[in-house]
Amino acid sequence: QVQLVESGGGLVQDGDSLRLSCVASGRTFSNYAMGWFRQAPGKEREFVTGINTRRSTSYADSVKGRFTISRDNAKNTVYLQMDNLKPEDTAVYYCAARLYGALGVLSRVSDYPYWGRGTQVTVSS
């Protein structure tokens, strides 16, 4: 079992920046594909961005140019840098992991067996 712990969420204003962190347990972090998803009240959980074991990345169209995912394998940590935040970004953000991935970046909820508890991001208008 892999444990994932997100942090860094909070209340910010339209246009502000925020960086989320996700720390994973274990000694094989470099072999995990990682993803960020978000879920707003009354909506389904949606893909935000992902990074595979080769550090290839993919982003949802809604966050391209504003969000950046990165990983530090030495720290067992994946980051989500969020710039120019908008009210529509308000959601609970979840970190997800899967041992090994694919040639591309996994983008479905069902692709990831391990999940963190989430961290709330609220962007005021």
Side-chain angles (χ1 to χ4, degrees):
Q1 184 178 357
V2 175
Q3 286 79 48
L4 305 173
V5 181
E6 304 98 334
S7 63
L11 174 62
V12 298
Q13 297 181 7
D14 191 347
D16 283 353
S17 295
L18 205 58
R19 188 170 84 155
L20 306 183
S21 298
C22 173
V23 179
S25 65
R27 298 180 176 88
T28 59
F29 179 74
S30 63
N31 293 326
Y32 283 83
M34 305 295 297
W36 285 99
F37 292 74
R38 66 188 182 187
Q39 186 168 23
K43 297 184 178 180
E44 65 181 0
R45 191 168 301 187
E46 66 176 1
F47 173 77
V48 176
T49 181
I51 184 167
N52 66 17
T53 58
R54 300 185 304 277
R55 297 182 186 270
S56 294
T57 60
S58 183
Y59 297 88
D61 289 340
S62 59
V63 305
K64 286 181 179 177
R66 299 189 298 120
F67 290 11
T68 304
I69 189 173
S70 62
R71 65 191 299 160
D72 186 339
N73 290 340
K75 296 183 180 295
N76 278 23
T77 302
V78 63
Y79 303 97
L80 179 61
Q81 178 66 45
M82 303 183 292
D83 297 321
N84 193 22
L85 283 161
K86 304 297 182 183
E88 53 264 39
D89 296 317
T90 295
V92 176
Y93 283 71
Y94 296 91
C95 176
R98 180 186 180 93
L99 181 60
Y100 297 110
L103 290 177
V105 175
L106 301 171
S107 61
R108 299 175 299 179
V109 170
S110 60
D111 289 331
Y112 294 89
Y114 306 111
W115 294 83
R117 294 182 180 274
T119 185
Q120 177 71 47
V121 172
T122 302
V123 185
S124 63
S125 59

